[in-house]
Amino acid sequence: MTGSAPSPGPVGSFFRGVGDLARGFGYWRTLPRTMALGLIPAGIVGLVLLAGIVTLAVFLTDIVDALTPFAAGWSELAASVVRIAIGVAILGGAVVLAVVSFTALTLLVGDPFYEKIWRAVERDLGDAAPESEYGFWRSVGDAVGLVLRGMVAALTAAVIGLIPVVGGPLGAVTAAFLTGWLLADELTSRALTARGWDAAARRRLRRAHRARFLGFGVATQLCFLVPLGAVFAMPAAVAGSTRLVRTLLDTPARGRAVSPDGS
């Protein structure tokens, strides 16, 4: 008698999400021309945001000094500690916002390119892609929503970064997880929306598979932090998110298809 496979647990599910992104990168080998289309919008948006981050870094000391006139009369050590903490918080928050904005803007600008990738991956997995009702204004709304949520994540990470001593690493970890969650949500939206899943249904699915979505999103976010990584990782993230959705909907734990209402 054959039983169902045991649940991998949160850690195993997290690394399955990482594996979904890795398999997305595999499409660079099987669908190189289609994947290469995604380099165009990613490269354009990436250059613009990178220029913004570099400009911020160049003027960061001046910005921090302007924000901390109260520390002028402090001892050099105390003033340096406070200013370094504020600088790290500002730069960290800006990076979080840049990563989220990169995804939102790239998907918006490159929608026709990424739709081709999505459809190609759907066909590769066995079925024609369902008809998408995304549309331009839906993409604009999703992009604005993602940027706004990214601003909240950036502010949260920046505030945590102000904690003395441990603020820097703790803020970085918080930023990675918050940003990863947002990226996983946005990147899986097309494949789910095309199947009739509204925002509430997508939230239920993400909660039911929280660790796997988080693993996929965190891995994507870390790739985006590597120089030029965002440009090459974006097509892979679109492909990997499509595979993640197909895997969850086609092979659920109880061996039956999952519907938007959870039945």
Side-chain angles (χ1 to χ4, degrees):
M1 180 177 178
T2 303
S4 59
S7 172
V11 175
S13 293
F14 183 92
F15 283 102
R16 280 191 176 184
V18 176
D20 288 319
L21 178 63
R23 291 180 176 87
F25 274 103
Y27 281 98
W28 274 109
R29 178 175 56 84
T30 57
L31 300 170
R33 292 184 179 179
T34 304
M35 294 287 281
L37 292 174
L39 296 178
I40 300 170
I44 294 171
V45 175
L47 285 174
V48 173
L49 292 177
L50 179 60
I53 291 294
V54 170
T55 301
L56 175 63
V58 169
F59 292 100
L60 186 60
T61 300
D62 294 335
I63 294 172
V64 171
D65 288 343
L67 292 174
T68 56
F70 54 85
W74 294 6
S75 68
E76 184 177 349
L77 177 60
S80 295
V81 169
V82 170
R83 285 170 174 156
I84 289 173
I86 292 175
V88 169
I90 291 173
L91 189 59
V95 169
V96 171
L97 186 57
V99 169
V100 175
S101 299
F102 170 82
T103 302
L105 294 174
T106 303
L107 289 175
L108 177 62
V109 173
D111 182 69
F113 301 99
Y114 295 117
E115 182 170 358
K116 288 182 181 295
I117 295 174
W118 166 64
R119 290 186 179 279
V121 173
E122 291 276 10
R123 288 193 297 270
D124 182 71
L125 293 173
D127 295 313
E131 287 303 315
S132 174
E133 299 180 357
Y134 231 65
F136 174 75
W137 292 112
R138 174 62 179 272
S139 298
V140 171
D142 285 351
V144 171
L146 182 59
V147 170
L148 291 176
R149 288 181 292 161
M151 291 174 66
V152 174
L155 180 60
T156 301
V159 170
I160 292 175
L162 294 175
I163 299 174
V165 184
V166 299
L170 187 59
V173 172
T174 301
F177 278 83
L178 289 179
T179 308
W181 186 250
L182 293 178
L183 294 182
D185 176 21
E186 182 65 19
L187 287 164
T188 55
S189 289
R190 178 180 289 281
L192 289 169
T193 300
R195 290 174 166 80
W197 290 64
D198 59 17
R202 296 198 302 270
R203 283 195 297 271
R204 287 196 299 270
L205 184 69
R206 290 196 305 274
R207 286 197 297 267
H209 302 277
R210 190 183 306 272
R212 185 163 180 175
F213 275 84
L214 195 58
F216 173 80
V218 170
T220 301
Q221 193 256 10
L222 293 177
C223 286
F224 283 3
L225 297 179
V226 176
L228 295 179
V231 175
F232 289 94
M234 191 64 189
V238 173
S241 65
T242 304
R243 186 187 184 281
L244 187 158
V245 169
R246 284 289 299 266
T247 302
L248 291 180
L249 301 191
D250 294 349
T251 56
R254 298 182 185 276
R256 55 188 176 85
V258 177
S259 62
D261 62 3
S263 61

